[in-house]
Amino acid sequence: MPDYRDDLRLAHVLADAADAATMDRFKALDLKVDTKPDLTPVSEADKSAEELIRGHLQRARPRDAVLGEEYGVEGTGPRRWVIDPIDGTKNYVRGVPVWATLISLMEASEGGYQPVVGVVSAPALGRRWWAAKGHGAFSGRSLSSATRLHVSRVSRMSDASFAYSSLGGWEERSLLDGFLDLTREVWRTRAYGDFWPYMMVAEGSVDICAEPELSLWDMAANAIIVTEAGGSFTGLDGRPGPHSGNAAASNGLLHDELLGYLNHRY
């Protein structure tokens, strides 16, 4: 099995640089915010963080391709870094501390590109999570000061904690009925949103989570962290990995039942 620890160390360096840039502009009174064609906000901090990460990668991994939310894809080859400079921009621009930089390395395989390294860094929360294929998932301040992550062992949906982002997306895709049936079945629901539910699944404080519409950069880092913590990460169609345009994550024990509810099979 390839050893991805050098790539993981680089991902931490990239996250450190991004954290410094994003925190410098967090809650800035003169922060510039624009609206993208899909009507979602983008701040100057999103753009500058991605530019910073791309610059580091150009120097450290010039042969690797890069895909980012703000500037698209650059380069080709079997290795591709996938970047979401600020996941949770709406929180960021309103001063809510739940946002993070997502960095993943994906490698080409028989099933297409798959994540092999992932770092999720949420500096306003003082939290960071990471994983490398075959080496487990961790959370902590640094590589040398970390706690290994494990998903929960909850095996009954009536005992499960379910996290999601919002109701609107489920309704738009005619999936609201199954979603609501699931909320009635579980022990607890909370709309934490964005990257955070996936990290809580990885650390065992939440048992299941799902979102109806996502991009690759929203999912790649989350996927490797959840799976290396022992959980399952698929699309709503059950396809493993971050390629379905939506996501369902769980401790593994509840995954089939989670997909059943969300696809309104019950």
Side-chain angles (χ1 to χ4, degrees):
M1 180 180 293
D3 188 338
Y4 297 103
R5 283 177 290 192
D6 284 345
D7 294 309
L8 180 60
R9 282 190 283 269
L10 174 59
H12 275 272
V13 171
L14 300 176
D16 288 342
D19 286 355
T22 52
M23 285 300 291
D24 183 61
R25 299 299 293 152
F26 185 48
K27 296 187 178 181
L29 296 179
D30 60 343
L31 180 71
K32 183 179 179 182
V33 182
D34 297 316
T35 301
K36 292 192 285 189
D38 64 359
L39 302 182
T40 60
V42 57
S43 73
E44 64 185 69
D46 291 83
K47 295 177 180 179
S48 63
E50 184 168 324
E51 290 169 351
L52 189 64
I53 293 171
R54 285 176 178 268
H56 276 279
L57 286 171
Q58 181 59 43
R59 293 187 294 273
R61 297 288 192 275
R63 296 182 180 180
D64 293 352
V66 181
L67 169 65
E69 179 178 11
E70 307 307 334
Y71 295 106
V73 65
E74 181 178 0
T76 59
R79 288 164 49 97
R80 176 181 293 175
W81 294 85
V82 179
I83 305 160
D84 189 343
I86 299 179
D87 182 52
T89 297
K90 292 177 182 178
N91 283 344
Y92 184 88
V93 302
R94 289 296 303 270
V96 178
V98 183
W99 50 270
T101 295
L102 279 53
I103 300 168
S104 178
L105 172 63
M106 304 186 74
E107 282 195 342
S109 67
E110 291 183 1
Y113 283 91
Q114 296 298 330
V116 294
V117 166
V119 172
V120 172
S121 190
L125 294 176
R127 299 292 309 277
R128 184 177 292 186
W129 303 261
W130 62 88
K133 186 177 180 180
H135 294 284
F138 297 84
S139 178
R141 296 287 184 177
S142 67
L143 283 166
S144 60
S145 176
T147 300
R148 187 153 189 164
L149 302 180
H150 297 280
V151 295
S152 76
R153 301 299 299 170
V154 172
S155 60
R156 296 197 308 173
M157 197 60 82
S158 58
D159 295 328
S161 179
F162 172 43
Y164 61 97
S165 287
S166 66
L167 294 177
W170 300 100
E171 186 171 26
E172 291 167 9
R173 287 155 192 82
S174 301
L175 296 172
L176 186 59
D177 287 344
F179 175 90
L180 291 176
D181 286 344
L182 176 60
T183 66
R184 297 183 185 106
E185 178 64 21
V186 298
W187 166 63
R188 189 171 191 254
T189 63
R190 285 294 183 272
Y192 298 109
D194 302 307
F195 68 95
W196 209 6
Y198 303 96
M199 298 304 98
M200 287 190 278
V201 167
E203 61 191 17
S205 53
V206 161
D207 309 300
I208 55 175
C209 68
E211 289 181 273
E213 183 179 20
L214 294 166
S215 298
L216 180 60
W217 47 77
D218 297 313
M219 296 183 282
N222 295 337
I224 183 69
I225 293 172
V226 168
T227 55
E228 284 293 317
S232 297
F233 189 105
T234 73
L236 299 182
D237 56 5
R239 179 185 177 189
H243 296 288
S244 298
N246 45 52
S250 76
N251 63 5
L253 300 173
L254 296 168
H255 206 78
D256 288 345
E257 197 172 356
L258 169 63
L259 294 178
Y261 273 103
L262 296 178
N263 286 288
H264 209 207
R265 294 199 297 263
Y266 296 152

